[in-house]
Amino acid sequence: RWVNSDGYSMVRFMGQCSMKQYMPLKPIKRGFKILCTSCSCCGYVKAFQMYTGKEKTADTGKGLAHRVVTELVVPHFSHRNHVIYMDNFFASLPLFADLAKFGIYACGTYRSNRVGFPKELGEKQLVKTLNRGDSVMRHKGSITALVWKDRKPVYVVSSAHLPSTTVGNGKDVDGTVAQVVCPEIVSQYNRYMGGVDLSDQLKACYGVDRKLKRWWLRLFWHFVDLAVTNAYILYIHSYRAYTHPPMVYNPDDQLQFRSKLTDQLVNHYSSWKQHGQPVKSPVVSLVPSGHKIEDLRYLGIRKGRCEFCCVGPNKTSSIRRETQFGCPKCKIRLCPVTCWASFHSRLQPQQ
């Protein structure tokens, strides 16, 4: 089975907008709420919707969470043997029943006071009699509901698991790891419920996080970050698929991937307007051949004088200019942009 997770991420925004939400339990408390469906193994976001506030259309009686999950999941995973993991904000028994009609399994934590949950599992007297690791399960049709006592009671409902138990690791109050008996449903939920958080973690490392007063621009940069993060995840999958022994598995990290992506998108573009007659000879990109601007310290070349404007026949200044950047293929230190372009101009085709 393929596993996916449903959740929501917050886009930080402190300006004025009617769509801004306040989530006191989230690290980002004020901002836009994006409802997402992502892959549990890598965090690839497959579909999303933006929460814009209370809907003005007629309510079908099933609620916002039911509608959002159905619209995000059914068009992509219908009759494809997928399992969807979700938290108690989205989980409901009518939703599980509707997803089962499309061949989609579901699992999620549940609120014990919701309609349809077995009343005997939500009784406080029953919970008080349970010790840590104890669980009580009820199974009806294809739905399994349970309450499991860890430090606090945990309520879970699933249409993809049978009522069985396993042994997992848990932490005591003092931080020591101990073996705890837990249901298979809880073990699988803890393993796969985190795809949206993984995507947010990758996006937060090198994301564009600027203070902006225009809400649409804040969302634009969020979706640019999301596209770059998804591209990096696809790059890792592709690299793993086409790397076989004796090839060494050494993919680029996210910073190297973003640097190369920026080089390929921006290249030698400049916002300066051209004056005079246009150049007839074509300007050939030198980036594919390995000529680019990089920090040379990883090659063992220390920071020192520019080898174009401070040394040799092209010396144009008596001021000592030091730089740590240069061309990794030529292996010489060059001032970014100006000296780099002048030094490599000889590699351009002559008219």
Side-chain angles (χ1 to χ4, degrees):
R1 292 178 179 177
W2 298 89
V3 291
N4 302 273
S5 60
D6 278 356
Y8 57 88
S9 61
M10 295 292 293
V11 181
R12 189 190 307 276
F13 184 70
M14 302 299 292
Q16 297 293 329
C17 184
S18 60
M19 296 183 293
K20 186 176 69 174
Q21 304 295 316
Y22 175 65
M23 308 293 292
L25 300 180
K26 281 285 186 177
I28 300 177
K29 294 179 173 52
R30 289 176 174 85
F32 301 111
K33 187 176 180 181
I34 310 295
L35 308 169
C36 306
T37 297
S38 64
C39 180
S40 297
C41 66
C42 61
Y44 182 87
V45 177
K46 300 180 179 179
F48 64 86
Q49 279 190 11
M50 181 176 173
Y51 179 68
T52 57
K54 186 176 181 181
E55 299 178 351
K56 298 181 180 179
T57 56
D59 191 5
T60 59
K62 296 183 178 180
L64 169 70
H66 189 287
R67 179 190 63 79
V68 169
V69 174
T70 303
E71 292 179 358
L72 292 178
V73 169
V74 172
H76 301 281
F77 311 124
S78 179
H79 300 289
R80 295 185 180 180
N81 203 27
H82 280 255
V83 181
I84 308 298
Y85 290 85
M86 62 192 76
D87 59 13
N88 56 19
F89 175 79
F90 298 97
S92 65
L93 291 177
L95 173 62
F96 285 19
D98 287 350
L99 292 179
K101 297 177 182 178
F102 297 96
I104 302 173
Y105 304 95
C107 175
T109 54
Y110 213 83
R111 298 176 183 176
S112 59
N113 57 355
R114 277 193 171 178
V115 177
F117 191 78
K119 294 183 179 180
E120 60 271 19
L121 297 183
E123 294 179 355
K124 296 183 178 180
Q125 296 297 330
L126 174 64
V127 175
K128 291 181 180 179
T129 60
L130 298 178
N131 298 320
R132 187 180 184 186
D134 294 342
S135 61
V136 179
M137 306 183 187
R138 294 291 183 269
H139 187 77
K140 180 179 180 181
S142 60
I143 304 295
T144 300
L146 64 88
V147 54
W148 173 61
K149 183 67 176 296
D150 191 20
R151 294 181 184 177
K152 295 181 179 180
V154 179
Y155 303 94
V156 185
V157 174
S158 173
S159 63
H161 304 86
L162 295 175
S164 59
T165 59
T166 184
V167 178
N169 293 329
K171 287 188 177 180
D172 294 329
V173 179
D174 56 357
T176 59
V177 179
Q179 296 289 325
V180 179
V181 178
C182 69
E184 185 70 22
I185 300 175
V186 177
S187 177
Q188 294 294 312
Y189 177 85
N190 292 334
R191 180 179 179 182
Y192 294 116
M193 182 59 191
V196 178
D197 295 335
L198 180 57
S199 176
D200 289 342
Q201 181 183 4
L202 292 173
K203 185 172 63 66
C205 293
Y206 305 102
V208 180
D209 192 7
R210 297 184 177 181
K211 294 182 179 180
L212 300 170
K213 295 183 179 180
R214 291 170 288 183
W215 63 268
W216 56 268
L217 193 57
R218 191 67 187 88
L219 286 174
F220 170 77
W221 286 117
H222 166 75
F223 293 130
V224 169
D225 280 337
L226 183 61
V228 174
T229 303
N230 277 355
Y232 176 69
I233 295 172
L234 293 178
Y235 159 74
I236 292 296
H237 281 293
S238 177
Y239 191 95
R240 185 183 296 115
Y242 290 100
T243 302
H244 306 285
M247 300 172 62
V248 179
Y249 181 76
N250 186 25
D252 294 337
D253 57 22
Q254 190 177 177
L255 178 58
Q256 294 173 334
F257 176 82
R258 284 177 176 262
S259 298
K260 292 182 179 179
L261 179 62
T262 303
D263 287 340
Q264 294 174 8
L265 291 177
V266 177
N267 206 349
H268 294 286
Y269 171 79
S270 175
S271 60
W272 290 93
K273 295 183 179 179
Q274 186 178 4
H275 299 281
Q277 294 294 330
V279 180
K280 295 183 179 180
S281 59
V283 178
V284 180
S285 173
L286 301 177
V287 174
S289 60
H291 298 280
K292 52 187 175 180
I293 303 174
E294 278 191 357
D295 191 333
L296 300 181
R297 287 179 292 182
Y298 78 97
L299 296 176
I301 302 176
R302 298 182 178 180
K303 182 178 180 180
R305 290 183 297 176
C306 174
E307 300 181 43
F308 183 81
C309 65
C310 296
V311 179
N314 298 309
K315 184 177 180 180
T316 57
S317 176
S318 60
I319 302 176
R320 180 185 177 92
R321 296 180 179 177
E322 293 189 351
T323 179
Q324 65 197 33
F325 297 95
C327 179
K329 187 169 184 178
C330 300
K331 295 184 179 180
I332 61 172
R333 292 186 296 267
L334 296 168
C335 295
V337 183
T338 55
C339 294
W340 187 94
S342 300
F343 178 81
H344 290 90
S345 61
R346 57 187 176 85
L347 300 180
Q348 294 289 348
Q350 300 298 325
Q351 187 176 1

